[in-house]
Amino acid sequence: VVDYYKEACRALENSETASLLGKIQKDWKKLVQMKIYYFAAVAHLHMGKQAEEQQKFGERVIYFQSALDKLNEAIKLAKGQPETVQEALRFTMDVIGGKYNSAKKDNDFIYHEAVPALDTLQSVKGAPLVKALPVNPTDPAVTGPDIFAKLVPMAAHEASSLYSEEKAKLLRDVMAKIEAKNEVLDQFMDSMQLDPETVDNLDMYSHIPPILMEKCAALSVRPDTVKNLVQSMQVLSGVFTDVEASLKEIRDLLEEDEAQERKLQELLGKVPPPQGSPPPPSPGLAEVSKECSKYMEVHEKASFTNTELHKAMNLHIGNLRLLSGPLEQVRAALPSPTLTEDDKQVLQNLKRILGKVQEMRDQRTSLEQQLREMIQKDDITTSLVTTDRSEMKKLFEEQLKKYDQIKVYLEQNLAAQENVLKALTDANVKYAAVRKALAEVEHKWNTTVQTLVASYEAYEDLMKKSQEGKDFYTDLEGKAAKLLEKARAACQAAEANRQQILEKEMKKQPPPRPTAPKPALQKKPPELEAGGLDAGDLPPLGSLVLSELPEELRSL
């Protein structure tokens, strides 16, 4: 490589070459010289490695030193070169510098071999491994494309422009017809609202949709989903019932205490409060009543939320059971259309005609593309150069005939549109009833799928809300239980207080003195007057007296 660059450097120093290249001759020469030093450094690096393998440690040092010197010269000449060149030189300096320092240190401290002069060693000779090929100045691979290839007479250019205008006119006429037909076809299809991909969507009902399969798979690895939800509902209901029972008992205790207080007021002769306004309770019961009212208000608000949560759970449990079950049950739960043989025949006919419409569209697009490509590639400049000006019009006519065949195909395609649309109209009339039935089934199918997916997605939310409800009612249950104990104690204290008041009132009033009416003197019975009875046979005086008393006194 060094020898080849040296030859290139000598060629650059030639006066003829220098005059041909001008200002860039110095830059090229500097670059070639830099490469000579660089590759010479690399060559001496390899010579040093060879000396190392042969254990000629003195020669190794001088080769590495020579490589380092030549690389320094290359670096000096590389000023102004791109960063990639600078980076390569820095990398090479790291390699050669490291080798030289290591070799010199080893020889100074270990081997102590004499370091010979470089010119006493055998010079490195180049070995050509490839055969140089001569350069052919006329070879396009060397010189590039002919810059005069498009150089033609002005008259030919003018004729070519006229021909291009004829081609453009032909294309405009054809495209106007195609666009008019396409516009009619698009408007017709929009009015029909017939999508070939959704006209016959019966395959959709033969399998479970992927989103539902995903939910079923997710529930299959969580078999306790429904069980956990039911248990959560039961626990929540139990805690809810306990809270309600505790609050009802507190309310009953307060009402009972209020009734007892009202009776006491009446017994004491005090004017009772107006009907509907309870007597003022004791301070302890007033606090209990206030807290009970607060808990009742919270309970009523939470009760509505709890009821809604249970409704949501009952709504979704059935769907979750379905998703957790066999796939056949899920598939059976999805609606599917029931079509007669006539309905299927109507569908097939409509699909066939829609296929014809799409085939007509594709063929039209393909023919249009072919026409555009033919016009773009159509270049008759060579013929125009050799054709007389008076013959140009005839030449244009002959050249434009090449488009007749594709124009015929396009005309046939455009003419077929009317028949295809008429057949599509007739098929659509027969399809109306089937379409309505399929639309209803599809709506039900989509609704069912969305409902099942929503039930799966609501599971985590229901469990979370159920747990929040349990936590809320557990806390409320603890507070209600404490309040119940407090209410019982307050009611007992109030009852004891009422007993004391009654006892005091009884002691203040003396007991009434009983007054018995004087017995009336009675006439002796006939037996005594006759002397027929002994005194010992007489009934007791009290009974005689009581029996002779008037009815009103006897009852008193």
Side-chain angles (χ1 to χ4, degrees):
V1 174
V2 172
D3 289 344
Y4 284 138
Y5 275 121
K6 285 181 178 178
E7 289 183 17
C9 189
R10 285 194 293 270
L12 286 171
E13 291 172 350
N14 190 328
S15 58
E16 293 181 1
T17 307
S19 61
L20 180 64
L21 293 176
K23 293 182 179 180
I24 64 171
Q25 185 264 349
K26 291 184 179 179
D27 295 334
W28 283 18
K29 181 180 177 181
K30 185 178 178 181
L31 176 62
V32 170
Q33 287 175 343
M34 185 271 291
K35 292 193 175 186
I36 291 172
Y37 280 113
Y38 175 76
F39 285 108
V42 175
H44 282 196
L45 171 65
H46 287 294
M47 291 299 293
K49 289 182 178 180
Q50 184 182 20
E52 183 178 357
E53 292 174 359
Q54 296 173 354
Q55 297 187 352
K56 298 178 180 179
F57 300 107
E59 292 185 10
R60 179 179 67 163
V61 173
I62 191 62
Y63 275 125
F64 285 159
Q65 183 178 355
S66 174
L68 190 60
D69 294 340
K70 293 182 182 300
L71 184 59
N72 284 325
E73 290 296 327
I75 292 174
K76 292 178 183 178
L77 293 168
K79 290 181 180 179
Q81 294 298 327
E83 180 60 27
T84 53
V85 176
Q86 305 292 343
E87 186 178 348
L89 292 174
R90 286 194 295 270
F91 174 76
T92 310
M93 174 59 77
D94 292 340
V95 175
I96 294 177
K99 287 285 187 181
Y100 170 71
N101 293 331
S102 176
K104 189 173 185 306
K105 185 176 179 182
D106 290 346
N107 192 55
D108 289 345
F109 292 98
I110 301 175
Y111 304 115
H112 305 290
E113 287 191 8
V115 179
L118 183 63
D119 52 8
T120 61
L121 299 176
Q122 184 178 1
S123 61
V124 183
K125 294 183 179 180
L129 303 181
V130 294
K131 182 179 180 181
L133 296 177
V135 177
N136 182 8
T138 62
D139 186 3
V142 177
T143 61
D146 184 7
I147 61 175
F148 303 107
K150 294 185 178 180
L151 192 60
V152 294
M154 185 57 65
H157 272 300
E158 293 175 357
S160 180
S161 298
L162 293 174
Y163 182 67
S164 297
E165 179 58 31
E166 292 294 329
K167 293 189 295 182
K169 181 180 177 182
L170 182 148
L171 182 61
R172 284 194 298 271
D173 293 342
V174 173
M175 287 307 302
K177 295 178 182 178
I178 292 176
E179 289 172 359
K181 288 290 186 179
N182 283 345
E183 185 177 357
V184 172
L185 180 59
D186 291 339
Q187 291 177 353
F188 184 85
M189 296 303 294
D190 289 342
S191 65
M192 287 287 186
Q193 295 182 351
L194 292 174
D195 186 356
E197 297 181 359
T198 59
V199 165
D200 181 12
N201 55 355
L202 299 180
D203 293 341
M204 176 179 71
Y205 304 104
S206 62
H207 61 275
I208 300 174
I211 187 172
L212 213 54
M213 286 291 291
E214 181 183 342
K215 308 307 178 187
C216 292
L219 287 178
S220 66
V221 297
R222 299 161 67 183
D224 296 334
T225 300
V226 177
K227 180 180 177 183
N228 293 339
L229 194 56
V230 172
Q231 288 178 350
S232 180
M233 289 174 61
Q234 293 173 348
V235 172
L236 180 58
S237 297
V239 181
F240 173 83
T241 305
D242 293 343
V243 169
E244 193 168 28
S246 297
L247 293 176
K248 184 178 183 303
E249 186 174 352
I250 294 171
R251 190 173 61 246
D252 292 343
L253 286 172
L254 293 173
E255 291 176 355
E256 179 65 23
D257 182 82
E258 179 185 334
Q260 293 296 332
E261 188 68 26
R262 188 180 291 276
K263 286 183 180 180
L264 176 63
Q265 298 294 330
E266 292 175 354
L267 285 174
L268 295 178
K270 296 180 180 180
V271 180
Q275 188 67 25
S277 59
S282 62
L285 285 173
E287 184 180 353
V288 170
S289 177
K290 183 178 180 182
E291 290 189 25
C292 181
S293 299
K294 182 176 69 174
Y295 291 165
M296 285 295 294
E297 182 181 357
V298 172
H299 173 65
E300 288 177 2
K301 290 180 180 179
S303 176
F304 175 76
T305 305
N306 184 47
T307 303
E308 294 299 317
L309 180 61
H310 275 70
K311 288 181 181 178
M313 286 184 172
N314 291 327
L315 174 66
H316 295 299
I317 279 179
N319 293 337
L320 290 173
R321 282 200 179 99
L322 179 62
L323 292 175
S324 302
L327 293 178
E328 291 77 10
Q329 294 182 5
V330 179
R331 172 65 192 85
L334 295 175
S336 58
T338 304
L339 298 178
T340 63
E341 289 298 324
D342 292 340
D343 294 340
K344 293 179 181 178
Q345 186 64 33
V346 169
L347 269 177
Q348 291 297 324
N349 185 43
L350 183 64
K351 284 174 60 180
R352 181 181 61 82
I353 296 176
L354 286 174
K356 289 289 185 182
V357 172
Q358 188 60 40
E359 181 182 349
M360 180 178 67
R361 282 182 183 271
D362 295 340
Q363 185 187 47
R364 187 176 300 173
T365 303
S366 175
L367 291 172
E368 177 190 340
Q369 187 64 27
Q370 290 180 29
L371 179 62
R372 289 182 179 276
E373 291 177 357
M374 287 178 64
I375 290 175
Q376 186 177 4
K377 294 178 180 179
D378 188 9
D379 184 7
I380 61 171
T381 305
T382 306
S383 301
L384 293 173
V385 171
T386 58
T387 303
D388 188 73
R389 190 177 185 85
S390 60
E391 300 292 330
M392 289 294 181
K393 186 176 181 180
K394 183 178 180 181
L395 177 64
F396 290 170
E397 293 175 353
E398 291 177 355
Q399 292 294 330
L400 291 174
K401 286 181 180 179
K402 65 169 73 80
Y403 300 106
D404 290 348
Q405 187 65 48
I406 197 168
K407 285 170 63 179
V408 170
Y409 291 152
L410 277 169
E411 292 291 343
Q412 292 175 350
N413 179 281
L414 298 175
Q417 178 169 308
E418 184 177 353
N419 295 331
V420 172
L421 295 186
K422 185 177 182 302
L424 183 59
T425 303
D426 296 340
N428 187 55
V429 171
K430 297 178 182 178
Y431 173 64
V434 181
R435 182 178 192 171
K436 182 179 179 182
L438 288 177
E440 292 177 353
V441 174
E442 183 177 0
H443 177 70
K444 293 179 182 178
W445 192 85
N446 289 329
T447 303
T448 304
V449 171
Q450 291 171 3
T451 303
L452 293 174
V453 172
S455 296
Y456 172 84
E457 293 175 348
Y459 169 72
E460 295 294 342
D461 186 53
L462 289 175
M463 290 298 293
K464 179 183 176 183
K465 290 182 178 178
S466 176
Q467 184 61 42
E468 291 175 354
K470 286 190 290 184
D471 295 342
F472 170 78
Y473 274 112
T474 301
D475 179 62
L476 187 58
E477 181 186 20
K479 293 178 179 178
K482 291 179 182 178
L483 186 61
L484 178 58
E485 294 298 326
K486 191 175 179 180
R488 287 171 179 168
C491 287
Q492 291 175 1
E495 181 64 26
N497 186 35
R498 283 192 290 270
Q499 292 297 330
Q500 291 178 2
I501 293 173
L502 281 174
E503 290 176 1
K504 289 179 181 179
E505 290 294 329
M506 293 297 291
K507 288 178 182 179
K508 289 178 182 179
Q509 299 177 3
R513 298 177 66 181
T515 56
K518 293 181 180 181
L521 294 177
Q522 298 190 16
K523 185 179 179 180
K524 289 184 180 180
E527 292 84 357
L528 290 179
E529 290 180 356
L533 288 175
D534 185 56
D537 297 330
L538 290 174
L541 179 62
S543 64
L544 290 175
V545 174
L546 187 63
S547 63
E548 293 300 325
L549 287 177
E551 180 64 31
E552 59 273 11
L553 294 179
R554 239 186 303 155
S555 63
L556 181 60

